[in-house]
Short mmCIF file of all heavy atoms in Angstrom, two decimals:
data_model
loop_
_atom_site.label_atom_id
_atom_site.label_comp_id
_atom_site.label_asym_id
_atom_site.label_seq_id
_atom_site.Cartn_x
_atom_site.Cartn_y
_atom_site.Cartn_z
N LYS A 1 17.45 -50.65 -34.12
CA LYS A 1 18.60 -51.55 -34.00
C LYS A 1 19.19 -51.44 -32.60
O LYS A 1 19.43 -50.34 -32.10
CB LYS A 1 19.66 -51.21 -35.05
CG LYS A 1 20.87 -52.12 -35.02
CD LYS A 1 21.87 -51.71 -36.08
CE LYS A 1 23.12 -52.60 -36.04
NZ LYS A 1 24.13 -52.17 -37.04
N PHE A 2 19.45 -52.58 -31.99
CA PHE A 2 20.08 -52.62 -30.67
C PHE A 2 21.58 -52.79 -30.86
O PHE A 2 22.04 -53.65 -31.62
CB PHE A 2 19.53 -53.79 -29.86
CG PHE A 2 20.14 -53.92 -28.49
CD1 PHE A 2 19.76 -53.09 -27.45
CD2 PHE A 2 21.11 -54.88 -28.25
CE1 PHE A 2 20.33 -53.22 -26.19
CE2 PHE A 2 21.69 -55.02 -27.00
CZ PHE A 2 21.29 -54.18 -25.97
N THR A 3 22.37 -51.96 -30.19
CA THR A 3 23.83 -52.05 -30.30
C THR A 3 24.48 -52.09 -28.92
O THR A 3 23.95 -51.53 -27.95
CB THR A 3 24.40 -50.84 -31.09
OG1 THR A 3 24.04 -49.63 -30.41
CG2 THR A 3 23.85 -50.81 -32.50
N VAL A 4 25.61 -52.75 -28.87
CA VAL A 4 26.40 -52.85 -27.64
C VAL A 4 27.77 -52.24 -27.91
O VAL A 4 28.44 -52.61 -28.86
CB VAL A 4 26.57 -54.31 -27.19
CG1 VAL A 4 27.40 -54.37 -25.91
CG2 VAL A 4 25.22 -54.98 -26.99
N GLU A 5 28.17 -51.29 -27.08
CA GLU A 5 29.49 -50.67 -27.20
C GLU A 5 30.37 -51.14 -26.04
O GLU A 5 30.02 -50.95 -24.88
CB GLU A 5 29.38 -49.15 -27.20
CG GLU A 5 28.66 -48.61 -28.43
CD GLU A 5 28.69 -47.09 -28.50
OE1 GLU A 5 29.27 -46.46 -27.58
OE2 GLU A 5 28.13 -46.54 -29.47
N LEU A 6 31.48 -51.79 -26.39
CA LEU A 6 32.39 -52.35 -25.39
C LEU A 6 33.56 -51.41 -25.16
O LEU A 6 34.09 -50.81 -26.09
CB LEU A 6 32.91 -53.72 -25.85
CG LEU A 6 31.86 -54.80 -26.11
CD1 LEU A 6 32.52 -56.06 -26.65
CD2 LEU A 6 31.10 -55.12 -24.83
N SER A 7 33.96 -51.28 -23.91
CA SER A 7 35.13 -50.47 -23.55
C SER A 7 35.74 -51.05 -22.28
O SER A 7 35.27 -52.06 -21.76
CB SER A 7 34.72 -49.00 -23.35
OG SER A 7 33.76 -48.89 -22.31
N GLU A 8 36.79 -50.42 -21.81
CA GLU A 8 37.44 -50.86 -20.57
C GLU A 8 37.60 -49.68 -19.63
O GLU A 8 37.86 -48.56 -20.07
CB GLU A 8 38.81 -51.49 -20.86
CG GLU A 8 38.72 -52.87 -21.48
CD GLU A 8 40.07 -53.57 -21.47
OE1 GLU A 8 41.03 -53.00 -20.89
OE2 GLU A 8 40.17 -54.67 -22.02
N LYS A 9 37.43 -49.95 -18.36
CA LYS A 9 37.66 -48.94 -17.33
C LYS A 9 38.39 -49.60 -16.17
O LYS A 9 37.91 -50.55 -15.59
CB LYS A 9 36.32 -48.35 -16.86
CG LYS A 9 36.48 -47.19 -15.88
CD LYS A 9 35.13 -46.57 -15.54
CE LYS A 9 35.29 -45.38 -14.61
NZ LYS A 9 33.97 -44.77 -14.28
N ARG A 10 39.57 -49.09 -15.90
CA ARG A 10 40.43 -49.66 -14.85
C ARG A 10 40.68 -51.14 -15.09
O ARG A 10 40.68 -51.95 -14.17
CB ARG A 10 39.80 -49.45 -13.48
CG ARG A 10 39.66 -47.97 -13.10
CD ARG A 10 38.99 -47.80 -11.76
NE ARG A 10 38.83 -46.39 -11.42
CZ ARG A 10 38.22 -45.95 -10.33
NH1 ARG A 10 37.69 -46.82 -9.48
NH2 ARG A 10 38.11 -44.66 -10.11
N GLY A 11 40.87 -51.49 -16.36
CA GLY A 11 41.19 -52.86 -16.72
C GLY A 11 40.01 -53.81 -16.76
O GLY A 11 40.19 -55.00 -17.02
N LEU A 12 38.80 -53.31 -16.52
CA LEU A 12 37.61 -54.15 -16.51
C LEU A 12 36.74 -53.82 -17.72
O LEU A 12 36.57 -52.65 -18.07
CB LEU A 12 36.80 -53.95 -15.23
CG LEU A 12 37.51 -54.33 -13.93
CD1 LEU A 12 36.62 -53.96 -12.73
CD2 LEU A 12 37.84 -55.81 -13.89
N PRO A 13 36.19 -54.87 -18.39
CA PRO A 13 35.34 -54.62 -19.56
C PRO A 13 34.01 -54.00 -19.15
O PRO A 13 33.43 -54.36 -18.14
CB PRO A 13 35.15 -56.03 -20.15
CG PRO A 13 35.35 -56.96 -19.00
CD PRO A 13 36.37 -56.31 -18.12
N ILE A 14 33.55 -53.06 -19.95
CA ILE A 14 32.29 -52.37 -19.70
C ILE A 14 31.45 -52.42 -20.97
O ILE A 14 31.97 -52.24 -22.08
CB ILE A 14 32.51 -50.90 -19.29
CG1 ILE A 14 33.25 -50.83 -17.95
CG2 ILE A 14 31.19 -50.14 -19.17
CD1 ILE A 14 33.61 -49.43 -17.54
N ALA A 15 30.17 -52.69 -20.82
CA ALA A 15 29.26 -52.72 -21.97
C ALA A 15 28.16 -51.70 -21.77
O ALA A 15 27.56 -51.62 -20.69
CB ALA A 15 28.67 -54.12 -22.14
N GLU A 16 27.92 -50.89 -22.80
CA GLU A 16 26.82 -49.93 -22.77
C GLU A 16 25.84 -50.29 -23.88
O GLU A 16 26.24 -50.66 -24.99
CB GLU A 16 27.35 -48.51 -22.97
CG GLU A 16 28.14 -47.98 -21.78
CD GLU A 16 28.46 -46.51 -21.93
OE1 GLU A 16 29.37 -46.19 -22.71
OE2 GLU A 16 27.79 -45.68 -21.26
N PHE A 17 24.54 -50.18 -23.57
CA PHE A 17 23.50 -50.58 -24.50
C PHE A 17 22.84 -49.34 -25.11
O PHE A 17 22.57 -48.36 -24.41
CB PHE A 17 22.45 -51.43 -23.80
CG PHE A 17 23.01 -52.67 -23.14
CD1 PHE A 17 22.48 -53.13 -21.93
CD2 PHE A 17 24.06 -53.36 -23.70
CE1 PHE A 17 22.99 -54.26 -21.32
CE2 PHE A 17 24.59 -54.49 -23.10
CZ PHE A 17 24.05 -54.95 -21.90
N PHE A 18 22.51 -49.45 -26.40
CA PHE A 18 21.85 -48.35 -27.10
C PHE A 18 20.80 -48.90 -28.07
O PHE A 18 20.91 -50.04 -28.53
CB PHE A 18 22.86 -47.51 -27.89
CG PHE A 18 23.89 -46.82 -27.04
CD1 PHE A 18 25.11 -47.42 -26.77
CD2 PHE A 18 23.63 -45.56 -26.51
CE1 PHE A 18 26.06 -46.79 -25.98
CE2 PHE A 18 24.57 -44.92 -25.71
CZ PHE A 18 25.78 -45.53 -25.45
N VAL A 19 19.81 -48.08 -28.34
CA VAL A 19 18.81 -48.38 -29.36
C VAL A 19 18.87 -47.27 -30.40
O VAL A 19 18.74 -46.09 -30.07
CB VAL A 19 17.39 -48.47 -28.76
CG1 VAL A 19 16.35 -48.66 -29.87
CG2 VAL A 19 17.31 -49.63 -27.77
N GLU A 20 19.08 -47.66 -31.66
CA GLU A 20 19.13 -46.71 -32.76
C GLU A 20 17.83 -46.80 -33.56
O GLU A 20 17.46 -47.88 -34.02
CB GLU A 20 20.33 -46.99 -33.66
CG GLU A 20 21.67 -46.89 -32.93
CD GLU A 20 22.85 -47.21 -33.84
OE1 GLU A 20 22.63 -47.35 -35.07
OE2 GLU A 20 23.97 -47.33 -33.33
N SER A 21 17.16 -45.68 -33.73
CA SER A 21 15.87 -45.65 -34.42
C SER A 21 15.88 -44.63 -35.54
O SER A 21 16.49 -43.56 -35.42
CB SER A 21 14.74 -45.31 -33.43
OG SER A 21 14.72 -46.22 -32.35
N ASP A 22 15.21 -44.98 -36.65
CA ASP A 22 15.08 -44.08 -37.80
C ASP A 22 13.82 -43.24 -37.67
O ASP A 22 12.75 -43.77 -37.38
CB ASP A 22 15.04 -44.88 -39.10
CG ASP A 22 16.41 -45.41 -39.48
OD1 ASP A 22 17.39 -44.69 -39.30
OD2 ASP A 22 16.49 -46.56 -39.94
N TYR A 23 13.97 -41.95 -37.92
CA TYR A 23 12.83 -41.05 -37.95
C TYR A 23 12.94 -40.21 -39.23
O TYR A 23 13.40 -39.07 -39.21
CB TYR A 23 12.82 -40.14 -36.72
CG TYR A 23 12.58 -40.88 -35.43
CD1 TYR A 23 13.65 -41.28 -34.64
CD2 TYR A 23 11.29 -41.19 -35.01
CE1 TYR A 23 13.44 -41.98 -33.46
CE2 TYR A 23 11.07 -41.88 -33.82
CZ TYR A 23 12.15 -42.27 -33.06
OH TYR A 23 11.94 -42.96 -31.88
N GLY A 24 12.55 -40.84 -40.31
CA GLY A 24 12.62 -40.13 -41.58
C GLY A 24 14.05 -39.90 -42.03
O GLY A 24 14.78 -40.84 -42.32
N ASP A 25 14.43 -38.64 -42.04
CA ASP A 25 15.76 -38.28 -42.56
C ASP A 25 16.86 -38.32 -41.50
O ASP A 25 18.02 -38.03 -41.81
CB ASP A 25 15.72 -36.87 -43.17
CG ASP A 25 14.80 -36.81 -44.38
OD1 ASP A 25 14.63 -37.86 -45.03
OD2 ASP A 25 14.25 -35.73 -44.65
N TYR A 26 16.52 -38.62 -40.27
CA TYR A 26 17.56 -38.65 -39.24
C TYR A 26 17.42 -39.88 -38.37
O TYR A 26 16.37 -40.52 -38.33
CB TYR A 26 17.51 -37.38 -38.38
CG TYR A 26 16.23 -37.20 -37.60
CD1 TYR A 26 16.13 -37.63 -36.29
CD2 TYR A 26 15.11 -36.58 -38.17
CE1 TYR A 26 14.96 -37.46 -35.56
CE2 TYR A 26 13.94 -36.41 -37.45
CZ TYR A 26 13.87 -36.85 -36.15
OH TYR A 26 12.71 -36.69 -35.44
N ARG A 27 18.50 -40.22 -37.71
CA ARG A 27 18.56 -41.42 -36.87
C ARG A 27 18.92 -41.01 -35.45
O ARG A 27 19.83 -40.21 -35.23
CB ARG A 27 19.60 -42.41 -37.42
CG ARG A 27 19.56 -43.79 -36.78
CD ARG A 27 20.47 -44.74 -37.55
NE ARG A 27 20.38 -46.11 -37.06
CZ ARG A 27 19.44 -46.97 -37.41
NH1 ARG A 27 18.51 -46.59 -38.27
NH2 ARG A 27 19.42 -48.20 -36.94
N VAL A 28 18.20 -41.56 -34.49
CA VAL A 28 18.40 -41.22 -33.08
C VAL A 28 18.99 -42.42 -32.35
O VAL A 28 18.52 -43.55 -32.50
CB VAL A 28 17.07 -40.80 -32.42
CG1 VAL A 28 17.29 -40.53 -30.93
CG2 VAL A 28 16.50 -39.57 -33.11
N LYS A 29 20.02 -42.15 -31.56
CA LYS A 29 20.68 -43.21 -30.78
C LYS A 29 20.53 -42.86 -29.31
O LYS A 29 21.05 -41.83 -28.85
CB LYS A 29 22.15 -43.30 -31.17
CG LYS A 29 22.96 -44.31 -30.38
CD LYS A 29 24.41 -44.31 -30.86
CE LYS A 29 25.27 -45.25 -30.05
NZ LYS A 29 26.68 -45.22 -30.50
N THR A 30 19.84 -43.70 -28.56
CA THR A 30 19.61 -43.43 -27.15
C THR A 30 19.81 -44.70 -26.34
O THR A 30 19.78 -45.82 -26.88
CB THR A 30 18.18 -42.91 -26.89
OG1 THR A 30 17.24 -43.89 -27.38
CG2 THR A 30 17.94 -41.60 -27.59
N LYS A 31 19.97 -44.54 -25.03
CA LYS A 31 19.99 -45.68 -24.14
C LYS A 31 18.56 -46.16 -23.94
O LYS A 31 17.62 -45.36 -23.95
CB LYS A 31 20.62 -45.32 -22.80
CG LYS A 31 22.12 -45.02 -22.91
CD LYS A 31 22.75 -44.82 -21.54
CE LYS A 31 24.26 -44.64 -21.67
NZ LYS A 31 24.92 -44.50 -20.36
N PRO A 32 18.35 -47.48 -23.79
CA PRO A 32 16.98 -48.01 -23.67
C PRO A 32 16.17 -47.34 -22.58
O PRO A 32 14.98 -47.06 -22.77
CB PRO A 32 17.21 -49.50 -23.36
CG PRO A 32 18.54 -49.82 -23.93
CD PRO A 32 19.36 -48.56 -23.76
N GLU A 33 16.79 -47.05 -21.44
CA GLU A 33 16.04 -46.45 -20.34
C GLU A 33 15.64 -45.00 -20.63
O GLU A 33 14.79 -44.44 -19.94
CB GLU A 33 16.83 -46.50 -19.04
CG GLU A 33 18.15 -45.74 -19.05
CD GLU A 33 19.32 -46.58 -19.53
OE1 GLU A 33 19.08 -47.58 -20.23
OE2 GLU A 33 20.46 -46.22 -19.20
N GLN A 34 16.24 -44.41 -21.67
CA GLN A 34 15.89 -43.05 -22.04
C GLN A 34 14.95 -42.99 -23.23
O GLN A 34 14.48 -41.92 -23.61
CB GLN A 34 17.17 -42.26 -22.36
CG GLN A 34 18.11 -42.11 -21.16
CD GLN A 34 19.45 -41.50 -21.54
OE1 GLN A 34 19.77 -41.38 -22.71
NE2 GLN A 34 20.22 -41.11 -20.53
N SER A 35 14.68 -44.16 -23.82
CA SER A 35 13.77 -44.21 -24.96
C SER A 35 12.34 -44.01 -24.48
O SER A 35 11.96 -44.48 -23.41
CB SER A 35 13.89 -45.55 -25.69
OG SER A 35 15.19 -45.75 -26.19
N ARG A 36 11.56 -43.35 -25.30
CA ARG A 36 10.18 -43.05 -24.92
C ARG A 36 9.21 -43.80 -25.83
O ARG A 36 9.45 -43.97 -27.00
CB ARG A 36 9.90 -41.54 -25.02
CG ARG A 36 10.74 -40.72 -24.06
CD ARG A 36 10.37 -39.25 -24.15
NE ARG A 36 11.16 -38.46 -23.20
CZ ARG A 36 10.83 -38.27 -21.94
NH1 ARG A 36 9.73 -38.82 -21.46
NH2 ARG A 36 11.57 -37.53 -21.15
#
């Protein structure tokens, strides 16, 4: 699952991207550039 987390820094909107993947009994959430 691809997710976007929105926040603000110094009054400006910031978006961070993540990919959540299931591996059996646990779920891993990483940034796309860190996914292998």
Side-chain angles (χ1 to χ4, degrees):
K1 182 180 179 182
F2 179 78
T3 59
V4 180
E5 294 186 0
L6 300 176
S7 60
E8 286 192 5
K9 185 175 183 180
R10 297 178 181 177
L12 297 175
I14 295 175
E16 290 189 283
F17 303 144
F18 296 92
V19 175
E20 300 179 8
S21 304
D22 285 321
Y23 294 95
D25 296 332
Y26 63 94
R27 191 170 185 84
V28 177
K29 177 180 177 182
T30 58
K31 292 187 176 182
E33 62 271 21
Q34 297 172 349
S35 299
R36 297 183 178 274

